[in-house]
Amino acid sequence: MPAPPLALALALLVPSPGLHPGTRAGASATAGSSIESAAVSRAYGAALGRARTTAIAGSDLRLPPPSWDEPRIGRSEHYEIRTIRGRGWAAARAQELETTLTRLHQTLGSDFVPPQRFVVLVHPTQELYNRFGDAHSDQRSSIYGGFYDPSNPERAAAVLQNDNLALQKMYLTHAATVQFLGRAYPNAEPPTALVHSLSAFLQSYVDYNYFVDRFEALRDGREGQGLVPLEQLLTEPIDAYLPWAGDRFYQLAMLFWYLRNVREDTKSTTTDEGPQVGPFEEYVRLRLSGGEFEDHPVHELLTEGADVVDEEMRAFRGWR
């Protein structure tokens, strides 16, 4: 039997108010008729359920296939993600970025949220991603699957679609972190290593053990080009991240982790009174807010004492 048209499909979703399923002409108030009425009601309900299913399945209620001109959109409280994947997929990624936003607020002591949602574009192809980048010239952070440039009208972050969900989440975290810094601290000019160490630190929440494995493989010479001397890593320009951007990110993530959570004279702690900001987080906040940082002990440590931190991290074995 052909599927019912849309008008009938919609009509079948709600029973007519003029005919209650338990009402029959000539029905008596006897117990027997009540039982018969209940049976008819159940049969009617079952038939209606089958009709609804058939009507919806055979109707034109499905959305047209997504395209980059008409993408699917998923939203959370502070994020809007556009993609050619499903709206549910986009909404899930937007909600995950809410967690990243909370971590940014906690780490940076900020409560910044934009008047309108952060926009993140998940480009389905390299061509579209590059085209967006060509139109918006500053691609400083595109070395890791995404970038943010405030010159585009929506101040959107751009991300390249990836079928590996863990890697996709890392790309999104990276772009969203740079986007947040650009929006929350528009006058700041933080060092490249600070921006990407914060980004990589937040990415490590996607799969912390994976970051540790990659760091240890670099340290032990089992993968890539090995660890970069810390003094070099902290001062090199963004161009130096290619073609081994991932390796830089693994090392920067563990540097941020070590200074924030491990080293006694720089780490943050938690007491009965709540989280206590340590010297390293204090230094990061100073660099972003434009405060005086040259005399801060962490600045001295990362300039004159970088080789000491480098040796400590290479020797440290308690990452997990």
Side-chain angles (χ1 to χ4, degrees), residues 185-202:
Y185 306 97
N187 298 319
E189 295 182 0
T192 297
L194 188 152
V195 172
H196 296 304
S197 64
L198 173 61
S199 164
F201 169 72
L202 295 174

Side-chain angles (χ1 to χ4, degrees), residues 89-161:
W89 184 94
R93 305 292 80 77
Q95 194 57 51
E96 288 160 359
L97 288 182
E98 294 288 343
T99 301
T100 297
L101 181 62
T102 297
R103 291 181 177 131
L104 279 164
H105 286 164
Q106 293 171 344
T107 303
L108 303 178
S110 168
D111 59 0
F112 172 80
V113 293
Q116 296 178 321
R117 289 181 179 90
F118 292 108
V119 175
V120 182
L121 311 175
V122 183
H123 291 86
T125 67
Q126 185 79 50
E127 179 185 359
L128 288 168
Y129 177 77
N130 290 343
R131 188 185 305 168
F132 186 84
D134 291 340
H136 307 289
S137 59
D138 183 3
Q139 298 188 54
R140 291 183 304 109
S141 64
S142 64
I143 44 87
Y144 200 67
F147 71 93
Y148 169 70
D149 187 314
S151 68
N152 70 79
E154 292 184 294
R155 289 181 283 186
V159 175
L160 183 62
Q161 181 174 299

